[in-house]
Amino acid sequence: MDIKQFDQNREVYIKAGARLLKESFPESYEEDSMKEMEEILGSERIALMAVEDDHLVGFIGGIPQYDKTGWELHPLVVEPGQRFKGVGRRLTLALEREIVDRGGIMVYLGTDDERFQTSLSEGDLFEDTYEKIKNIKNYRHHPYEFYEKNGYKIVGVIPDANGIGKPDIIMAKRLSNHLDMNLSQVLQNKIDKIEDFSGAVSIKEGKKTLYQEAFGYAEISNRRKNNRETRFGIASGAKFFTALGIGKLMEERKISIDDPLSSLIKLFPNFHSDVTIGHLLSHTSGIPDYFDEEIMEDFSELWIEQPMYLLRKTEDFLPMINKGKMMFKPGEKFHYNNGAYIVLGLVIEKLSGMNFTDYITKNVLEPAGLHQSGYFAMDHLPANTALGYLKNNQGELITNIYSIPVVGGPDGGIFVTAEDMSRLWKAVFSGQLLKKSTLDTLFEPAVKVNDPLYYGHGMWIVKKEAKVDKYLIMGEDPGVNFRSTFYPETEWEVTVLCNRQFGADELSIWIEKHLLKSINTEDGGENNE
């Protein structure tokens, strides 16, 4: 038996559904069951069917209510000969998964007692209402017990809804107010809808791991699967590590966020003298960029004139940056700038006397316990590292080894595991890496990108009612998609790493919007009227 979306193109199924409605609820649909089927199959609703040997044996519907956070289950109909065989339960679970997928957190229903099947049909329900609900008895197979076995609770009654002594019993079930035991099933359902998803997913609440799993292949040709410890490239997510490195220099009093670049390093004759470290960190410097994402869509286009295998050190990017001109006056506006972080890497090397990647490894990765992460060369990757994959012009999957610099650096290209990303968030916010005063400077929203999105110094920031709601680290390269989110108030972490150029953004946003929705909003009573 298959449970699937109701096929509205098969009239035989619609007529069969109308027949089941009429047979199951003659009091309500004796005359207009086809009209009811039209409403059940409405565009905003959910309609699922159970089919066996091309024969409709049951179906279920869902109606969006309360701005789609609450849904009404209506109807649930199973062919008489198929009852008590698990069909209704499977339909109910499938509907609940679909509701959660659409952002719902609760489902309710009214199950009428029109045939005096329960003790609630006795006496006056306007008297001792709650006591009578508590002591309800089922006389003749009323379906409320079916729903109770599937996690629904009686939350109220409407006395005399269908006539004297014929109440409507109201039942409800919470679906995702908290990430519960259905989380794995719900996430799998969503991931199945993302074609060819490949990567790792981690969801945490403080020290508690709620979900951590890997999907797809780290290396397709040898069928080597991704696992929970696989290292993934995170593209521009590496800028956060560079910002933390600058923070370390700030604590050593070697630099301040307001220092002019020209006072620290003399390599950029075309730069405006007012460019500061803060401008570079917040993408407001206006300096020329070697890869301007607003002009050039494909990162791999860079390597037509500049072979990527020659870019192994930070200084190798200098000619690409210095050939350009200032785009605007420092501080004038936000314009995402990869070159700015190359410059910050050169500053770190100048002030520390160390190679950039060695400095970040010693001062960020090691103190934070990120022992599986690092700046690995594409021609010398360690074990359990995922290759990135993209499609060529023929639609075939190819690796990204010729599409990104051979070694990561200040603006992108570090490899991390899902667990290491979690360790980094904890190290940052526990004060393990930097002092609170330093973090306050780095994590201050520096520039408004668009409401409610801001950029700080190495990370994206979303504000809600004048407070920081969450911090974001994101990255995308050919064959790489990464997104990690941290909610400071609740300590929720959502990290998705993909060795494809898609998947992380879609899944992470969906998790935050649907699975964490009721946790991270403080206006749970807005629909109580």
Side-chain angles (χ1 to χ4, degrees), residues 471-484:
Y471 297 101
L472 291 166
I473 310 171
M474 299 182 286
E476 182 179 324
D477 270 345
V480 177
N481 194 204
F482 161 78
R483 185 181 176 103
S484 186

Side-chain angles (χ1 to χ4, degrees), residues 195-460:
E195 183 180 358
D196 201 27
F197 181 84
S198 182
V201 184
S202 176
I203 306 174
K204 294 199 174 191
E205 181 184 16
K207 295 180 180 179
K208 182 180 179 182
T209 299
L210 299 168
Y211 182 89
Q212 199 169 89
E213 195 53 79
F215 305 85
Y217 291 96
E219 186 183 1
I220 293 176
S221 58
N222 290 313
R223 311 297 284 177
R224 180 167 59 87
K225 292 184 177 181
N226 288 318
N227 56 62
R228 297 178 186 180
E229 288 76 41
T230 299
R231 302 172 173 96
F232 293 87
I234 64 170
S236 287
K239 291 181 173 67
F240 185 56
F241 293 79
T242 303
L244 295 174
I246 292 291
K248 189 67 176 177
L249 291 176
M250 290 166 59
E251 292 191 349
E252 294 171 353
R253 298 186 181 278
K254 293 181 178 180
I255 197 173
S256 82
I257 206 163
D258 297 320
D259 281 349
L261 175 64
S262 58
S263 69
L264 300 169
I265 194 167
K266 308 288 186 183
L267 294 173
F268 309 101
N270 297 330
F271 288 11
H272 197 290
S273 59
D274 290 342
V275 172
T276 67
I277 296 301
H279 289 142
L280 295 169
L281 285 167
S282 61
H283 300 289
T284 58
S285 65
I287 69 167
D289 192 2
Y290 79 93
F291 173 58
D292 192 334
E293 297 183 13
E294 293 188 12
I295 297 175
M296 190 181 298
E297 293 184 1
D298 188 353
F299 193 45
S300 59
E301 291 178 18
L302 281 170
W303 321 130
I304 296 174
E305 296 183 4
Q306 171 64 57
M308 41 73 60
Y309 54 82
L310 297 179
L311 301 173
R312 291 182 178 268
K313 297 179 292 185
T314 312
E315 63 190 43
D316 293 336
F317 287 82
L318 262 176
M320 300 171 67
I321 295 172
N322 267 334
K323 69 180 181 180
K325 297 180 180 179
M326 289 290 297
M327 294 184 285
F328 52 84
K329 184 178 178 181
E332 185 176 293
K333 61 181 180 179
F334 174 87
H335 186 94
Y336 197 84
N337 195 311
N338 291 284
Y341 275 73
I342 294 293
V343 173
L344 288 168
L346 291 167
V347 170
I348 288 174
E349 291 184 338
K350 172 73 180 297
L351 298 183
S352 69
M354 297 176 65
N355 173 275
F356 170 80
T357 57
D358 291 341
Y359 180 84
I360 298 299
T361 300
K362 180 180 178 181
N363 291 280
V364 178
L365 303 188
E366 291 178 358
L370 276 64
H371 301 304
Q372 302 302 312
S373 302
Y375 297 87
F376 309 128
M378 296 297 291
D379 54 2
H380 191 60
L381 293 174
N384 204 11
T385 302
L387 294 173
Y389 287 89
L390 63 151
K391 288 186 178 181
N392 61 16
N393 293 333
Q394 289 74 44
E396 302 166 324
L397 282 173
I398 59 172
T399 66
N400 64 353
I401 58 172
Y402 298 118
S403 302
I404 57 177
V406 69
V407 181
D411 65 327
I414 193 171
F415 287 82
V416 305
T417 66
E419 192 60 33
D420 271 2
M421 200 61 235
S422 180
R423 290 190 182 99
L424 182 62
W425 284 121
K426 288 177 174 58
V428 168
F429 284 95
S430 67
Q432 184 177 338
L433 279 178
L434 298 171
K435 298 175 183 177
K436 184 179 183 302
S437 57
T438 308
L439 292 177
D440 288 344
T441 299
L442 291 178
F443 283 69
E444 174 69 22
V447 57
K448 185 175 182 178
V449 181
N450 56 63
D451 192 34
L453 184 64
Y454 291 73
Y455 199 87
H457 301 90
M459 79 295 297
W460 301 88

Side-chain angles (χ1 to χ4, degrees), residues 33-85:
S33 58
M34 281 297 291
K35 181 179 180 182
E36 180 65 12
M37 285 301 300
E38 291 178 7
E39 294 183 8
I40 289 168
L41 299 175
S43 60
E44 289 293 312
R45 295 192 180 191
I46 298 171
L48 306 174
M49 63 180 186
V51 178
E52 190 169 46
D53 296 329
D54 207 32
H55 175 68
L56 182 74
V57 298
F59 67 98
I60 194 169
I63 307 171
Q65 308 284 7
Y66 306 101
D67 196 28
K68 297 185 180 181
T69 56
W71 286 70
E72 181 183 0
L73 189 161
H74 173 79
L76 172 58
V77 187
V78 178
E79 192 174 66
Q82 295 290 334
R83 292 172 188 169
F84 308 106
K85 295 182 179 180

